Amino acid sequence: MDADGHVPWWRDAVIYQIYPRSFQDTGGDGVGDLPGIERRLDHLAWLGVDAIWVSPFYRSPMADFGYDVSDYCDVDPLFGTLADFDRLIASVHQRGMRLLVDWVPNHTSDRHPWFLDSRSSRSSPRRGWYHWRDGRGDGPPNNWRAAFGGRAWTLDELTGQWYLHLFLPQQPDLNWSNPEVVAAMHEVLRFWLDRGVDGFRIDVVHCIGKDPAFPDQPAELGEIDRVGIQNEPATHELIRGFRRLVDAYPGQRTTVGEVQLGDLEALASFYGAGDELHMVFNFLPLRAAWTRPAWWGMIERVERDLPAGAWPTWVLSNHDEPRVRSRLGSDAAARSAALLLLTLRGTPFIYQGDELGLEDAVVPESRRVDPGGRDGCRAPMPWDRGPGHGWPVRDPWLPWPPQAGTRNVEAERDDPGSMLHLYRRLLAARRGSAALRRGDLVLREGAGDVLAFERNCEGDRRLVVVNFGNRSSSIRLEPGWVVEVSTGPEGDPERLPPHGGALLRPG
Ligand code: TEU
C-alpha cells in the first residue's frame, strides 16, 4: 500500500519480458529493434499484459549482447534511436501499459569512455571508478572466478595492474564505493525516469558493493563463480540510495532486482525494511523439479520467509535459462506451470515466447554466439506461418525455435485450444479477480500428486489445483466450485489428467 493507501500498479501487474534482439526486426538485418517492439504492442495488449520490461538496447560492442554498455544514455543503432525509444514509450502509455528498462549498474563495457579513461594511466581522474589492484606475484589479486569461466581479474599491460570483472574481461566492474560513480549512475536513472520509464529491472544488483580488501574466497568455495556468493553489506546502503531517487519521482516508479543468490533468505534481505528493492526476482521456479513436494515447498517458503510487506515475484523463463517448455518436457506440464505463474501471490513475469509454448532452439556449434551458452532460449519470436515468420529475413541472427511453423502467434490465435489462448484466458481471469491479484494464499493439505491452494480477497475466492503426476488423479471438491480455466480440454474438475490443472471459482 503506498502513502495514499493505493495498491501500487506493479503489485497488480503482469510484466512481459522482451529480449529486443529476438522480438521483431524491422530493419532487415535479422536482429530485432525498438520499432519492432512498437509494431507488436497490439499483440501484448490483446494478450492482456500490463507492462513490458525491455532487456538492454543501449550502445554496446555486444560482447555480452547489450549487458556490456558503452553509453547508458543512448540507443545502439542496431536497435534504433532515442527518438524510436520516445515513440515506443508513448505508444506503450497510450495503450495503458507501462515500460521498464534494464539498468546494468555492476559493470560497464571496456569500450565505455569511463573505462578507456580509467585504464589510460594510474593517475587518470577515473582510475578510482573501477577496481584496480596489484597482483600477487605474477598472479591476480585473489582467487575469484568470473561468471562465464576463468579468473575475475585481467592484467592491464599498460599500467601493470589488474582490473576486476565478475563477468567478461570486456565487462569491468564499477567501483560503487566511489561517490563520483554513484552520482554518475544516479544521473543515468534520472535520464530514463525523465523520459517517462515506469521502472527498472536491475542487473546483478547484489554484486555492486565490494570488500576493498578483496579477500580470497574460502578454498571450499574455490571454483564457484563470485556472482553466486557476492553479498556485501555496503550494497544495501547503495540500494537504499537509488530507491530514494526512484521513489522521489511521481507515478509509482518501481524496481525489480536480479539477485543471483540461491537461497530465499539472502534474496529476501534485498527488500530491506521496505526501503530497498520494490521487488526481487525469485528464480526458484527456474531450478525447481516438476513435482508436488518441490512446488509445495517453494510456495510455502515464499509465503513464510519473505518479510512482511515484501511483494513476491514469479518467473518461469528468461534470456539466461532454458525455457520452461524445454525444462519440463511436455505441453501439459508447461500449461500447468503457466496456471501456477498467473495464480500465485505476487507479480508474474512472462518471458517472450512462453505464451506460445516455445522450446529452446537447437543451435548448431557454428551459430553459437553467447559466452554463457544461452543462445537456445534467445531464438527469434515467430509471428506467423510464413517463411520469415513475420520477420523481414528468413534467417535471423539465431535459428528459429522448434516447430515455428505451428508455434507462432498467427497459428495459435487461430486455435482456441492453444497455449496462447490459455495464457490469454488466465490473464483475463487474473484481471477479473481481486483474489488472484491481491488475495492471500492458503495451501491446502492433501496427499498424492495434486497441489491445491486458495486465494481470497474481500469475499472473492479462487481455487487452483494442479496434478504433477503422470497418471490421472482424483480430488474431492466442496460443492459449488466451477471451472473458470482448465489447462486442457474441459473435463470433470474432480478428475485431473496427468500434469493437468484448473482454476476454479464459486459457482
Ligand atoms: O545475469 C546474471 C547471471 O548471473 C547470469 O549471467 C548467469 O550467471 C548465467 O546466465 C548463467 O548461465 C545478468 C543478465 O541477465 C545476463 O544476461 C548477463 O549476461 C549478466 O547479468 C551480466 O550482465
Side-chain angles (χ1 to χ4, degrees), residues 64 67 104 107 147-148 167 171 201 203-204 225 227 258 260 319-321 372 374 378:
D64 187 15
Y67 283 94
V104 186
H107 44 266
F148 301 130
F167 292 88
Q171 292 170 297
R201 177 266 187 189
D203 193 62
V204 285
D225 74 63
V227 171
E258 180 200 24
Q260 290 278 3
H319 62 293
D320 288 337
E321 306 283 344
R374 303 163 293 181
R378 297 172 177 187

PDB file of all heavy atoms in Angstrom, residues 64 67 104 107 147-148 167 171 201 203-204 225 227 258 260 319-321 372 374 378, ligand 1:
ATOM      1  N   ASP A  64      28.501  -9.095 -24.629  1.00  0.00           N
ATOM      2  CA  ASP A  64      27.508  -9.861 -23.856  1.00  0.00           C
ATOM      3  C   ASP A  64      26.118  -9.402 -24.270  1.00  0.00           C
ATOM      4  O   ASP A  64      25.221  -9.194 -23.446  1.00  0.00           O
ATOM      5  CB  ASP A  64      27.723  -9.664 -22.353  1.00  0.00           C
ATOM      6  CG  ASP A  64      26.812 -10.570 -21.520  1.00  0.00           C
ATOM      7  OD1 ASP A  64      26.234 -11.521 -22.093  1.00  0.00           O
ATOM      8  OD2 ASP A  64      26.641 -10.289 -20.328  1.00  0.00           O
ATOM      9  N   TYR A  67      24.597  -6.396 -22.392  1.00  0.00           N
ATOM     10  CA  TYR A  67      24.860  -6.249 -20.954  1.00  0.00           C
ATOM     11  C   TYR A  67      26.284  -5.755 -20.718  1.00  0.00           C
ATOM     12  O   TYR A  67      26.803  -5.808 -19.608  1.00  0.00           O
ATOM     13  CB  TYR A  67      24.578  -7.565 -20.224  1.00  0.00           C
ATOM     14  CG  TYR A  67      23.102  -7.798 -20.024  1.00  0.00           C
ATOM     15  CD1 TYR A  67      22.362  -8.545 -20.941  1.00  0.00           C
ATOM     16  CD2 TYR A  67      22.419  -7.227 -18.951  1.00  0.00           C
ATOM     17  CE1 TYR A  67      20.995  -8.737 -20.783  1.00  0.00           C
ATOM     18  CE2 TYR A  67      21.048  -7.403 -18.776  1.00  0.00           C
ATOM     19  CZ  TYR A  67      20.351  -8.159 -19.699  1.00  0.00           C
ATOM     20  OH  TYR A  67      18.986  -8.329 -19.538  1.00  0.00           O
ATOM     21  N   VAL A 104      22.125  -1.657 -15.850  1.00  0.00           N
ATOM     22  CA  VAL A 104      23.258  -2.562 -15.610  1.00  0.00           C
ATOM     23  C   VAL A 104      24.301  -1.821 -14.773  1.00  0.00           C
ATOM     24  O   VAL A 104      25.246  -1.258 -15.316  1.00  0.00           O
ATOM     25  CB  VAL A 104      23.851  -3.043 -16.956  1.00  0.00           C
ATOM     26  CG1 VAL A 104      24.922  -4.105 -16.730  1.00  0.00           C
ATOM     27  CG2 VAL A 104      22.748  -3.595 -17.872  1.00  0.00           C
ATOM     28  N   HIS A 107      28.697  -3.263 -13.885  1.00  0.00           N
ATOM     29  CA  HIS A 107      29.837  -3.190 -14.802  1.00  0.00           C
ATOM     30  C   HIS A 107      29.454  -2.399 -16.049  1.00  0.00           C
ATOM     31  O   HIS A 107      28.275  -2.299 -16.393  1.00  0.00           O
ATOM     32  CB  HIS A 107      30.263  -4.605 -15.237  1.00  0.00           C
ATOM     33  CG  HIS A 107      29.124  -5.490 -15.578  1.00  0.00           C
ATOM     34  ND1 HIS A 107      28.552  -6.353 -14.667  1.00  0.00           N
ATOM     35  CD2 HIS A 107      28.396  -5.640 -16.715  1.00  0.00           C
ATOM     36  CE1 HIS A 107      27.561  -7.016 -15.240  1.00  0.00           C
ATOM     37  NE2 HIS A 107      27.426  -6.588 -16.486  1.00  0.00           N
ATOM     38  N   ALA A 147      31.879 -15.239 -13.978  1.00  0.00           N
ATOM     39  CA  ALA A 147      30.646 -15.994 -14.237  1.00  0.00           C
ATOM     40  C   ALA A 147      30.748 -16.880 -15.464  1.00  0.00           C
ATOM     41  O   ALA A 147      30.277 -18.003 -15.464  1.00  0.00           O
ATOM     42  CB  ALA A 147      29.466 -15.041 -14.397  1.00  0.00           C
ATOM     43  N   PHE A 148      31.419 -16.406 -16.507  1.00  0.00           N
ATOM     44  CA  PHE A 148      31.485 -17.216 -17.730  1.00  0.00           C
ATOM     45  C   PHE A 148      32.771 -18.029 -17.772  1.00  0.00           C
ATOM     46  O   PHE A 148      33.207 -18.480 -18.822  1.00  0.00           O
ATOM     47  CB  PHE A 148      31.356 -16.322 -18.967  1.00  0.00           C
ATOM     48  CG  PHE A 148      30.072 -15.545 -18.993  1.00  0.00           C
ATOM     49  CD1 PHE A 148      30.084 -14.177 -19.219  1.00  0.00           C
ATOM     50  CD2 PHE A 148      28.866 -16.174 -18.780  1.00  0.00           C
ATOM     51  CE1 PHE A 148      28.897 -13.454 -19.246  1.00  0.00           C
ATOM     52  CE2 PHE A 148      27.666 -15.463 -18.792  1.00  0.00           C
ATOM     53  CZ  PHE A 148      27.685 -14.098 -19.014  1.00  0.00           C
ATOM     54  N   PHE A 167      32.137 -10.703 -14.739  1.00  0.00           N
ATOM     55  CA  PHE A 167      31.692 -11.379 -15.965  1.00  0.00           C
ATOM     56  C   PHE A 167      32.859 -11.380 -16.949  1.00  0.00           C
ATOM     57  O   PHE A 167      33.972 -11.729 -16.587  1.00  0.00           O
ATOM     58  CB  PHE A 167      30.410 -10.720 -16.489  1.00  0.00           C
ATOM     59  CG  PHE A 167      29.248 -10.967 -15.562  1.00  0.00           C
ATOM     60  CD1 PHE A 167      28.988 -10.111 -14.497  1.00  0.00           C
ATOM     61  CD2 PHE A 167      28.437 -12.081 -15.710  1.00  0.00           C
ATOM     62  CE1 PHE A 167      27.958 -10.363 -13.607  1.00  0.00           C
ATOM     63  CE2 PHE A 167      27.392 -12.339 -14.853  1.00  0.00           C
ATOM     64  CZ  PHE A 167      27.159 -11.469 -13.779  1.00  0.00           C
ATOM     65  N   GLN A 171      33.792  -6.581 -19.514  1.00  0.00           N
ATOM     66  CA  GLN A 171      32.770  -6.008 -18.602  1.00  0.00           C
ATOM     67  C   GLN A 171      33.393  -5.646 -17.239  1.00  0.00           C
ATOM     68  O   GLN A 171      33.066  -6.240 -16.218  1.00  0.00           O
ATOM     69  CB  GLN A 171      31.622  -7.010 -18.398  1.00  0.00           C
ATOM     70  CG  GLN A 171      30.780  -7.258 -19.643  1.00  0.00           C
ATOM     71  CD  GLN A 171      29.823  -8.429 -19.476  1.00  0.00           C
ATOM     72  OE1 GLN A 171      30.259  -9.570 -19.285  1.00  0.00           O
ATOM     73  NE2 GLN A 171      28.516  -8.160 -19.568  1.00  0.00           N
ATOM     74  N   ARG A 201      14.506  -2.891 -14.276  1.00  0.00           N
ATOM     75  CA  ARG A 201      14.982  -4.206 -13.907  1.00  0.00           C
ATOM     76  C   ARG A 201      16.460  -4.010 -13.682  1.00  0.00           C
ATOM     77  O   ARG A 201      17.143  -3.472 -14.551  1.00  0.00           O
ATOM     78  CB  ARG A 201      14.697  -5.214 -15.016  1.00  0.00           C
ATOM     79  CG  ARG A 201      15.224  -6.623 -14.750  1.00  0.00           C
ATOM     80  CD  ARG A 201      16.600  -6.823 -15.369  1.00  0.00           C
ATOM     81  NE  ARG A 201      17.030  -8.208 -15.253  1.00  0.00           N
ATOM     82  CZ  ARG A 201      18.270  -8.612 -15.558  1.00  0.00           C
ATOM     83  NH1 ARG A 201      19.173  -7.736 -15.943  1.00  0.00           N
ATOM     84  NH2 ARG A 201      18.598  -9.887 -15.484  1.00  0.00           N
ATOM     85  N   ASP A 203      20.210  -5.272 -13.074  1.00  0.00           N
ATOM     86  CA  ASP A 203      21.071  -6.411 -13.355  1.00  0.00           C
ATOM     87  C   ASP A 203      22.016  -6.695 -12.194  1.00  0.00           C
ATOM     88  O   ASP A 203      22.641  -5.784 -11.656  1.00  0.00           O
ATOM     89  CB  ASP A 203      21.882  -6.096 -14.625  1.00  0.00           C
ATOM     90  CG  ASP A 203      22.576  -7.308 -15.197  1.00  0.00           C
ATOM     91  OD1 ASP A 203      21.874  -8.250 -15.587  1.00  0.00           O
ATOM     92  OD2 ASP A 203      23.825  -7.315 -15.235  1.00  0.00           O
ATOM     93  N   VAL A 204      22.134  -7.951 -11.801  1.00  0.00           N
ATOM     94  CA  VAL A 204      23.010  -8.441 -10.718  1.00  0.00           C
ATOM     95  C   VAL A 204      23.281  -7.380  -9.658  1.00  0.00           C
ATOM     96  O   VAL A 204      24.437  -7.082  -9.312  1.00  0.00           O
ATOM     97  CB  VAL A 204      24.319  -9.055 -11.246  1.00  0.00           C
ATOM     98  CG1 VAL A 204      24.077 -10.415 -11.845  1.00  0.00           C
ATOM     99  CG2 VAL A 204      25.062  -8.145 -12.194  1.00  0.00           C
ATOM    100  N   ASP A 225      31.602 -19.381  -9.127  1.00  0.00           N
ATOM    101  CA  ASP A 225      31.853 -18.025  -9.626  1.00  0.00           C
ATOM    102  C   ASP A 225      31.326 -17.001  -8.618  1.00  0.00           C
ATOM    103  O   ASP A 225      30.326 -17.236  -7.935  1.00  0.00           O
ATOM    104  CB  ASP A 225      31.272 -17.824 -11.024  1.00  0.00           C
ATOM    105  CG  ASP A 225      29.748 -17.694 -11.055  1.00  0.00           C
ATOM    106  OD1 ASP A 225      29.253 -16.718 -10.464  1.00  0.00           O
ATOM    107  OD2 ASP A 225      29.081 -18.541 -11.640  1.00  0.00           O
ATOM    108  N   VAL A 227      29.721 -14.360  -8.662  1.00  0.00           N
ATOM    109  CA  VAL A 227      28.370 -13.791  -8.776  1.00  0.00           C
ATOM    110  C   VAL A 227      27.390 -14.529  -7.867  1.00  0.00           C
ATOM    111  O   VAL A 227      26.468 -13.955  -7.319  1.00  0.00           O
ATOM    112  CB  VAL A 227      27.898 -13.840 -10.238  1.00  0.00           C
ATOM    113  CG1 VAL A 227      26.430 -13.456 -10.359  1.00  0.00           C
ATOM    114  CG2 VAL A 227      28.772 -12.941 -11.104  1.00  0.00           C
ATOM    115  N   GLU A 258      17.681  -8.287  -9.929  1.00  0.00           N
ATOM    116  CA  GLU A 258      18.171  -9.640 -10.216  1.00  0.00           C
ATOM    117  C   GLU A 258      19.223  -9.949  -9.153  1.00  0.00           C
ATOM    118  O   GLU A 258      20.267  -9.299  -9.117  1.00  0.00           O
ATOM    119  CB  GLU A 258      18.800  -9.745 -11.600  1.00  0.00           C
ATOM    120  CG  GLU A 258      19.311 -11.153 -11.895  1.00  0.00           C
ATOM    121  CD  GLU A 258      20.343 -11.216 -13.000  1.00  0.00           C
ATOM    122  OE1 GLU A 258      21.020 -10.192 -13.249  1.00  0.00           O
ATOM    123  OE2 GLU A 258      20.468 -12.278 -13.623  1.00  0.00           O
ATOM    124  N   GLN A 260      21.287 -13.095  -7.830  1.00  0.00           N
ATOM    125  CA  GLN A 260      21.615 -14.498  -8.150  1.00  0.00           C
ATOM    126  C   GLN A 260      22.217 -15.205  -6.927  1.00  0.00           C
ATOM    127  O   GLN A 260      23.281 -15.823  -7.029  1.00  0.00           O
ATOM    128  CB  GLN A 260      22.597 -14.536  -9.331  1.00  0.00           C
ATOM    129  CG  GLN A 260      21.991 -14.118 -10.652  1.00  0.00           C
ATOM    130  CD  GLN A 260      21.214 -15.225 -11.347  1.00  0.00           C
ATOM    131  OE1 GLN A 260      21.097 -16.319 -10.788  1.00  0.00           O
ATOM    132  NE2 GLN A 260      20.678 -14.938 -12.506  1.00  0.00           N
ATOM    133  N   HIS A 319      16.060 -14.813 -20.428  1.00  0.00           N
ATOM    134  CA  HIS A 319      17.027 -14.887 -21.536  1.00  0.00           C
ATOM    135  C   HIS A 319      18.336 -15.535 -21.113  1.00  0.00           C
ATOM    136  O   HIS A 319      19.289 -15.590 -21.884  1.00  0.00           O
ATOM    137  CB  HIS A 319      17.312 -13.463 -22.035  1.00  0.00           C
ATOM    138  CG  HIS A 319      17.922 -12.620 -20.976  1.00  0.00           C
ATOM    139  ND1 HIS A 319      17.245 -12.243 -19.836  1.00  0.00           N
ATOM    140  CD2 HIS A 319      19.181 -12.158 -20.809  1.00  0.00           C
ATOM    141  CE1 HIS A 319      18.054 -11.554 -19.047  1.00  0.00           C
ATOM    142  NE2 HIS A 319      19.240 -11.496 -19.616  1.00  0.00           N
ATOM    143  N   ASP A 320      18.389 -16.026 -19.864  1.00  0.00           N
ATOM    144  CA  ASP A 320      19.617 -16.656 -19.342  1.00  0.00           C
ATOM    145  C   ASP A 320      19.466 -18.145 -19.071  1.00  0.00           C
ATOM    146  O   ASP A 320      20.450 -18.804 -18.755  1.00  0.00           O
ATOM    147  CB  ASP A 320      20.016 -15.994 -18.009  1.00  0.00           C
ATOM    148  CG  ASP A 320      20.571 -14.591 -18.183  1.00  0.00           C
ATOM    149  OD1 ASP A 320      21.055 -14.281 -19.286  1.00  0.00           O
ATOM    150  OD2 ASP A 320      20.495 -13.815 -17.209  1.00  0.00           O
ATOM    151  N   GLU A 321      18.236 -18.649 -19.134  1.00  0.00           N
ATOM    152  CA  GLU A 321      17.980 -20.025 -18.703  1.00  0.00           C
ATOM    153  C   GLU A 321      17.169 -20.785 -19.745  1.00  0.00           C
ATOM    154  O   GLU A 321      16.386 -20.168 -20.484  1.00  0.00           O
ATOM    155  CB  GLU A 321      17.177 -19.999 -17.397  1.00  0.00           C
ATOM    156  CG  GLU A 321      17.802 -19.179 -16.279  1.00  0.00           C
ATOM    157  CD  GLU A 321      18.968 -19.898 -15.596  1.00  0.00           C
ATOM    158  OE1 GLU A 321      19.077 -21.125 -15.793  1.00  0.00           O
ATOM    159  OE2 GLU A 321      19.759 -19.211 -14.941  1.00  0.00           O
ATOM    160  N   GLY A 372      27.870 -17.415 -22.494  1.00  0.00           N
ATOM    161  CA  GLY A 372      27.331 -18.280 -21.440  1.00  0.00           C
ATOM    162  C   GLY A 372      26.536 -19.446 -21.985  1.00  0.00           C
ATOM    163  O   GLY A 372      25.827 -20.122 -21.241  1.00  0.00           O
ATOM    164  N   ARG A 374      23.849 -19.485 -23.846  1.00  0.00           N
ATOM    165  CA  ARG A 374      22.416 -19.294 -23.597  1.00  0.00           C
ATOM    166  C   ARG A 374      21.631 -18.987 -24.884  1.00  0.00           C
ATOM    167  O   ARG A 374      20.552 -18.398 -24.830  1.00  0.00           O
ATOM    168  CB  ARG A 374      22.242 -18.141 -22.600  1.00  0.00           C
ATOM    169  CG  ARG A 374      22.997 -18.364 -21.283  1.00  0.00           C
ATOM    170  CD  ARG A 374      23.188 -17.094 -20.473  1.00  0.00           C
ATOM    171  NE  ARG A 374      24.091 -16.171 -21.150  1.00  0.00           N
ATOM    172  CZ  ARG A 374      24.430 -15.002 -20.624  1.00  0.00           C
ATOM    173  NH1 ARG A 374      23.962 -14.633 -19.443  1.00  0.00           N
ATOM    174  NH2 ARG A 374      25.257 -14.182 -21.260  1.00  0.00           N
ATOM    175  N   ARG A 378      17.068 -17.760 -26.651  1.00  0.00           N
ATOM    176  CA  ARG A 378      17.012 -16.410 -27.235  1.00  0.00           C
ATOM    177  C   ARG A 378      16.598 -16.439 -28.711  1.00  0.00           C
ATOM    178  O   ARG A 378      16.788 -15.463 -29.432  1.00  0.00           O
ATOM    179  CB  ARG A 378      18.378 -15.742 -27.074  1.00  0.00           C
ATOM    180  CG  ARG A 378      18.768 -15.540 -25.621  1.00  0.00           C
ATOM    181  CD  ARG A 378      20.190 -15.051 -25.445  1.00  0.00           C
ATOM    182  NE  ARG A 378      20.501 -14.808 -24.026  1.00  0.00           N
ATOM    183  CZ  ARG A 378      21.618 -14.251 -23.593  1.00  0.00           C
ATOM    184  NH1 ARG A 378      22.569 -13.911 -24.458  1.00  0.00           N
ATOM    185  NH2 ARG A 378      21.821 -14.063 -22.302  1.00  0.00           N
TER     186      ARG A 378
HETATM  187  O1  TEU B   1      22.743 -12.361 -15.493  1.00  0.00           O
HETATM  188  C1  TEU B   1      23.429 -12.628 -14.323  1.00  0.00           C
HETATM  189  C2  TEU B   1      23.789 -14.037 -14.210  1.00  0.00           C
HETATM  190  O2  TEU B   1      24.165 -14.453 -13.190  1.00  0.00           O
HETATM  191  C3  TEU B   1      23.688 -14.882 -15.369  1.00  0.00           C
HETATM  192  O3  TEU B   1      24.585 -14.458 -16.258  1.00  0.00           O
HETATM  193  C4  TEU B   1      24.043 -16.296 -15.062  1.00  0.00           C
HETATM  194  O4  TEU B   1      25.237 -16.387 -14.418  1.00  0.00           O
HETATM  195  C5  TEU B   1      24.209 -17.030 -16.324  1.00  0.00           C
HETATM  196  O5  TEU B   1      23.127 -16.792 -17.103  1.00  0.00           O
HETATM  197  C6  TEU B   1      24.276 -18.479 -16.025  1.00  0.00           C
HETATM  198  O6  TEU B   1      24.366 -19.108 -17.278  1.00  0.00           O
HETATM  199  C7  TEU B   1      22.667 -10.996 -15.839  1.00  0.00           C
HETATM  200  C8  TEU B   1      21.978 -10.895 -17.179  1.00  0.00           C
HETATM  201  O7  TEU B   1      20.683 -11.402 -17.058  1.00  0.00           O
HETATM  202  C9  TEU B   1      22.816 -11.697 -18.155  1.00  0.00           C
HETATM  203  O8  TEU B   1      22.190 -11.784 -19.415  1.00  0.00           O
HETATM  204  C10 TEU B   1      24.173 -11.032 -18.285  1.00  0.00           C
HETATM  205  O9  TEU B   1      24.991 -11.823 -19.092  1.00  0.00           O
HETATM  206  C11 TEU B   1      24.809 -10.861 -16.915  1.00  0.00           C
HETATM  207  O10 TEU B   1      23.922 -10.381 -15.918  1.00  0.00           O
HETATM  208  C12 TEU B   1      25.925  -9.842 -16.972  1.00  0.00           C
HETATM  209  O11 TEU B   1      25.389  -8.562 -17.140  1.00  0.00           O
END
